[in-house]
Amino acid sequence: MKRARTVLATLTVAACLPYLTLKVVWLSGGRTGIPRGSLLLDGGATLWVLNALTVAMDCTVVLLALALTRPWGRRLPGGLLALPLWCAGGLLGPIAVAFPLQALHSALTGGADGHGGTGPQEVLAGWVWTLVYTGFTVQALGLGTLFALYVRERWGALLRSPLRPDRPRPHPADRTSRHAFTAAVLLAVPATVVHARDAVGGDGGNRITDATFALYAVVAVAAVGVLLRSGSGARGARARLWPTLTAAWIGSAVLACWGGWLLVGALSGAGRHVGQRADGVVELSYACQTLAGLALAAVMARVLRHRTRVSSPSPVRV
């Protein structure tokens, strides 16, 4: 397994290099992969700052891949790894689902992949989208696998525990968690409706992207709802905790992180340079999506913290 982890970490880091190289070139004033007349050429300081931010985000993926494979990573507090890995999973998860489907759609229809157009206003050269999003997909698979192996070793007993314990103990803050969950559901509705609307009325590639976001929203709400009920004493099949927790983890992260990123792009005006459409309704849906994801993550964390206290005399540090 040590050799397999090393190979996965190497692939994950290598997958970051094309994106990082392009970003450094653009930050330095280069135009590699940017066609003449592209909207990106008019991005100004705002787009430069966001490019620098994405460089920092991809460098974080490199650090996470090392932390999940090197001995020093085992000594880090769980919470120090949890937040950046949650964000990474939220940002990379939809790409790993939507991009292969977009590529297949493009191959079958011979059309654009939804990442730009053709002609003088094309945002980026086609090879840039393919190179970058292939790298993102490899990052998602590599980092996700490394994280799964890390979690299995560190918290395997908890994750293999039954979803519904034989002797459930209600959490003293159950009412607060239920209220937070209800608020999250209400906040997720407008975001899901907007994504579903665009999935029906958009073009081929963007339809797939919006359908993916809508699907993640449904998965997040359903998974956190099941987690919330897992301590209520409801009986059911002897399912394990980890599948539901994984769905809640990824789903809440997608809602919060992509909602926040799209909101930043819309409010800063940088999103229009890559074809993002924004108006008051869409911006409100992004804000609701972000808040819904954060609320679902908070409920998930409460349930998980309670389970660690109940299942172990010495609470697991998460």
Side-chain angles (χ1 to χ4, degrees):
M1 290 305 297
K2 182 177 179 181
R3 177 174 295 181
R5 284 189 175 94
T6 301
V7 171
L8 280 172
T10 302
L11 288 175
T12 303
V13 172
C16 297
L17 296 181
Y19 184 74
L20 289 173
T21 301
L22 281 171
K23 288 289 185 173
V24 170
V25 169
W26 295 342
L27 288 170
S28 304
R31 298 184 178 183
T32 302
I34 303 178
R36 183 175 300 176
S38 171
L39 295 174
L40 291 176
L41 298 176
D42 301 322
T46 300
L47 197 58
W48 192 95
V49 170
L50 290 180
N51 276 330
L53 178 59
T54 55
V55 168
M57 291 162 64
D58 222 36
C59 287
T60 302
V61 172
V62 174
L63 292 176
L64 289 173
L66 295 176
L68 293 172
T69 52
R70 307 308 301 166
W72 55 265
R74 301 293 191 276
R75 297 190 292 271
L76 294 174
L80 190 62
L81 285 174
L83 180 59
L85 282 165
W86 181 74
C87 294
L91 292 172
L92 293 172
I95 295 174
V97 173
F99 176 68
L101 293 176
Q102 288 173 333
L104 179 61
H105 176 271
S106 181
L108 293 176
T109 63
D113 59 5
H115 288 303
T118 57
Q121 295 301 318
E122 184 181 10
V123 176
L124 285 170
W127 65 266
V128 175
W129 292 110
T130 302
L131 180 66
V132 167
Y133 277 80
T134 299
F136 284 157
T137 303
V138 174
Q139 290 176 44
L141 297 175
L143 198 63
T145 304
L146 289 172
F147 186 40
L149 294 172
Y150 182 93
V151 167
R152 187 181 66 176
E153 286 187 354
R154 191 161 183 174
W155 299 295
L158 174 65
L159 298 179
R160 289 190 297 270
S161 65
L163 176 62
R164 295 186 172 92
D166 292 329
R167 297 179 180 178
R169 289 173 55 183
H171 193 286
D174 266 349
R175 180 173 298 179
T176 302
S177 296
R178 287 196 297 270
H179 290 336
F181 178 72
T182 301
V185 173
L186 295 176
L187 287 167
V189 169
T192 307
V193 169
V194 169
H195 286 306
R197 180 201 67 185
D198 292 342
V200 173
D203 58 54
N206 288 327
R207 280 205 307 269
I208 294 172
T209 301
D210 282 297
T212 301
F213 282 135
L215 176 63
Y216 270 110
V218 172
V219 167
V221 169
V224 174
V226 171
L227 279 180
L228 194 58
R229 292 185 65 249
S230 64
S232 65
R235 297 281 178 171
R238 299 294 293 174
R240 298 300 174 185
L241 173 65
W242 70 265
T244 303
L245 181 60
T246 300
W249 177 280
I250 297 292
S252 63
V254 169
L255 283 176
C257 297
W258 265 107
W261 184 250
L262 292 171
L263 183 61
V264 167
L267 294 179
S268 67
R272 64 181 177 84
H273 297 291
V274 291
Q276 180 184 357
R277 295 173 297 176
D279 53 38
V281 173
V282 172
E283 291 170 0
L284 179 61
S285 74
Y286 292 157
C288 290
Q289 178 176 332
T290 305
L291 293 173
L294 292 174
L296 289 173
V299 174
M300 175 187 67
R302 273 180 174 272
V303 172
L304 187 59
R305 193 177 302 116
H306 174 60
R307 288 184 67 114
T308 59
R309 285 200 297 263
V310 169
S311 62
S312 174
S314 300
V316 180
R317 293 177 65 192
V318 295

